[in-house]
């Protein structure tokens, strides 16, 4: 397959849906592979959520909005595809399309035309639906290849200079030069990969750091969004945003689905919990699940666990 999704609880209306898709689709369009980076400043604004099985096709809206039917798509591909549906439309999360030239050969061949060529009828349909051989798409692929080649040339050059520095003796400030070059390479790599993150994640990152809590956004399986360090303990956390509550009372009740708890307990080794962020009052609570609930307790639950948040949970 072209893209592999992580196991996540999300749907079209989830706050984190687009951010999860961005991550699972490596910040590029699921269909034409346009990257956010190549869109410059507008980046993720040029990307939308596409319903693979289109909304117009739905008799039961809920299924259509499930995470596995949603794809990170550039505006162009989303428009081209629109409400089109066919059982022959290739699903990039289920099959190789470009990989191993299974359905489409990727056009980076010696002819330098960057034109895609179909290998199968499904590949032909895919090229037609997303207009992958339009002038725009071909130009875009040419630019991307050029960019990738430039980056490679710079990397090779840095390697060559580093190598020369390392084998030559008696170069004044040799150590300093090597460090500078290494730093340069790091800066460049950072520049290539750094992209803006969803606002909610950025707010919570800053919030945690302002309280002296080490944190990393990890976007791991099972909605594990953050890794934080509380004292000596590392806790993996899902971030849940609450946009509703306006009250300033510190005591709150939150419900956690039994099925979700079961999966967490079955699959996670480390400490885990939920970070509840209340946007309106700018308050962040940590509910450590592995410290508060034991596995046996979950079996006795009906559908949901009731988590009581108090000022003791406030970060
Ligand atoms: Zn696209």
């Amino acid at each position: 397959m072209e893209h592999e999704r992580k196991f996540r609880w999300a749907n079209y209306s989830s706050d984190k849906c687009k951010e999860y898709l961005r991550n699972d689709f490596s910040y590029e369009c699921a269909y034409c592979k346009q990257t956010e980076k190549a869109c410059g400043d507008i980046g993720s604004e040029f990307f939308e959520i596409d319903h693979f099985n289109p909304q117009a096709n739905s008799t039961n809206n809920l299924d259509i909005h499930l995470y596995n039917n949603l794809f990170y798509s550039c505006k162009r591909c989303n428009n081209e595809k629109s409400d089109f549906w066919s059982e022959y439309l290739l699903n990039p999360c289920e099959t190789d399309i470009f990989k191993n030239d299974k359905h489409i050969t990727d056009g980076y061949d010696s002819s330098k035309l960057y034109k895609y060529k179909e290998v199968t009828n499904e590949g032909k349909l895919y090229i037609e639906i997303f207009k992958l051989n339009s002038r725009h798409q071909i130009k875009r692929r040419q630019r991307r290849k050029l960019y990738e080649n430039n980056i490679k040339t710079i990397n090779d050059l840095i390697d060559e200079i580093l190598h020369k520095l390392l084998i030559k003796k008696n170069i004044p400030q040799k150590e300093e030069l090597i460090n500078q070059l290494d730093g340069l390479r790091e800066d460049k790599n950072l520049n290539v990969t750094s992209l803006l993150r969803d606002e909610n994640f950025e707010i919570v990152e800053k919030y945690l750091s302002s309280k002296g809590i080490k944190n990393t956004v990890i976007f791991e399986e099972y909605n594990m969004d953050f890794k934080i360090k509380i004292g000596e303990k590392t806790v993996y956390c899902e971030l849940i945003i609450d946009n509703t509550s306006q009250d300033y009372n510190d005591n709150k009740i939150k419900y956690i689905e039994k099925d979700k708890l079961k999966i967490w307990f079955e699959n996670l080794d480390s400490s885990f919990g939920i970070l509840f962020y209340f946007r309106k009052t700018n308050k962040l609570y940590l509910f450590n699940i592995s410290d508060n609930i034991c596995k046996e307790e979950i079996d006795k639950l009906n559908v949901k666990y009731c988590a009581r948040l108090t000022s003791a949970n406030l970060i």
Side-chain angles (χ1 to χ4, degrees):
M1 65 192 87
E2 297 294 320
H3 299 276
E4 208 164 332
R5 290 170 193 270
K6 291 206 165 88
F7 181 107
R8 304 183 192 276
W9 290 279
N11 58 43
Y12 190 61
S13 58
S14 307
D15 278 317
K16 296 181 289 183
C17 187
K18 195 172 175 189
E19 199 62 17
Y20 280 170
L21 288 170
R22 280 178 90 193
N23 218 270
D24 284 354
F25 288 90
S26 312
Y27 304 88
E28 64 179 41
C29 174
Y31 305 119
C32 74
K33 295 180 179 271
Q34 161 106 327
T35 61
E36 269 188 35
K37 195 78 200 166
C39 295
D41 286 343
I42 51 166
S44 63
E45 288 169 43
F46 187 64
F47 286 74
E48 297 171 337
I49 298 177
D50 174 57
H51 291 75
F52 188 70
N53 197 333
Q55 297 189 68
N57 214 11
S58 162
T59 46
N60 173 2
N61 275 338
L62 222 116
D63 286 338
I64 291 291
H65 294 313
L66 285 180
Y67 190 68
N68 281 357
N69 188 46
L70 306 174
F71 284 72
Y72 200 53
S73 164
C74 73
K75 277 189 177 161
R76 202 176 287 270
C77 289
N78 203 7
N79 280 339
E80 299 298 0
K81 179 170 164 284
S82 188
D83 285 337
F84 177 82
W85 172 250
S86 157
E87 58 182 302
Y88 299 109
L89 184 63
L90 296 167
N91 180 332
C93 287
E94 282 176 3
T95 180
D96 286 353
I97 299 173
F98 303 97
K99 272 185 195 162
N100 307 317
D101 294 336
K102 192 168 174 207
H103 290 282
I104 297 171
T105 54
D106 78 358
Y108 288 169
D109 61 11
S110 54
S111 72
K112 298 277 186 270
L113 287 171
Y114 299 89
K115 218 169 181 176
Y116 282 144
K117 207 168 164 15
E118 71 268 14
V119 179
T120 61
N121 284 338
E122 287 94 332
K124 186 170 188 261
L125 178 71
Y126 197 85
I127 291 171
E128 279 169 9
I129 291 303
F130 297 109
K131 297 203 169 56
L132 294 183
N133 279 338
S134 67
R135 249 176 50 198
H136 167 84
Q137 287 285 15
I138 288 177
K139 251 187 145 171
R140 186 184 62 71
R141 291 201 289 272
Q142 258 171 336
R143 270 204 307 269
R144 179 169 175 172
K145 196 65 190 162
L146 199 70
Y147 174 77
E148 284 170 358
N149 285 343
N150 284 342
I151 295 286
K152 196 184 168 301
T153 310
I154 295 168
N155 275 336
D156 290 349
L157 220 73
I158 292 177
D159 281 343
E160 203 183 308
I161 298 170
L162 269 174
H163 179 71
K164 278 184 184 158
L165 276 173
L166 284 169
I167 53 166
K168 270 197 178 158
K169 282 180 186 165
N170 305 325
I171 296 175
Q173 293 144 340
K174 183 172 163 176
E175 281 293 308
E176 201 183 315
L177 278 171
I178 290 174
N179 286 340
Q180 276 179 1
L181 263 181
D182 262 342
L184 208 70
R185 172 155 44 194
E186 257 172 50
D187 280 355
K188 180 184 61 63
N189 288 343
L190 215 68
N191 224 341
V192 171
T193 53
S194 70
L195 289 164
L196 278 180
R197 210 173 266 142
D198 173 78
E199 188 194 22
N200 288 319
F201 284 88
E202 296 211 334
I203 292 172
V204 172
E205 261 182 306
K206 278 192 194 132
Y207 189 111
L208 287 163
S209 300
S210 74
K211 303 283 179 185
I213 296 174
K214 271 195 184 169
N215 68 90
T216 322
V217 180
I218 49 170
F219 289 125
E220 271 311 318
E221 212 91 36
Y222 313 112
N223 286 28
M224 289 292 118
D225 302 324
F226 272 88
K227 186 168 97 177
I228 62 174
K229 193 113 190 203
I230 302 283
E232 284 304 297
K233 203 188 249 178
T234 300
V235 188
Y236 286 78
C237 298
E238 169 168 27
L239 172 64
I240 293 184
I241 313 288
D242 187 306
N243 291 309
T244 56
S245 172
Q246 289 253 25
D247 75 274
Y248 286 79
N249 182 351
D250 279 345
N251 296 333
K252 313 213 180 282
I253 287 185
K254 285 283 176 188
Y255 293 97
I256 311 166
E257 302 280 338
K258 177 182 176 175
D259 292 347
K260 188 187 241 186
L261 285 169
K262 269 183 94 167
I263 292 180
W264 275 342
F265 271 101
E266 280 162 13
N267 293 286
L268 301 173
D269 275 337
S270 57
S271 268
F272 59 92
I274 300 179
L275 286 166
F276 291 101
Y277 180 63
F278 293 79
R279 269 189 80 108
K280 297 255 164 75
T281 51
N282 189 33
K283 282 184 177 172
L284 184 66
Y285 293 74
L286 168 64
F287 188 78
N288 189 321
I289 292 169
S290 42
D291 278 2
N292 280 287
I293 315 171
C294 61
K295 228 176 156 184
E296 293 68 39
E297 224 179 306
I298 298 168
D299 294 328
K300 293 180 202 148
L301 291 172
N302 282 328
V303 191
K304 287 173 178 176
Y305 176 82
C306 172
R308 288 171 201 281
L309 307 175
T310 68
S311 50
N313 300 95
L314 267 175
I315 284 186

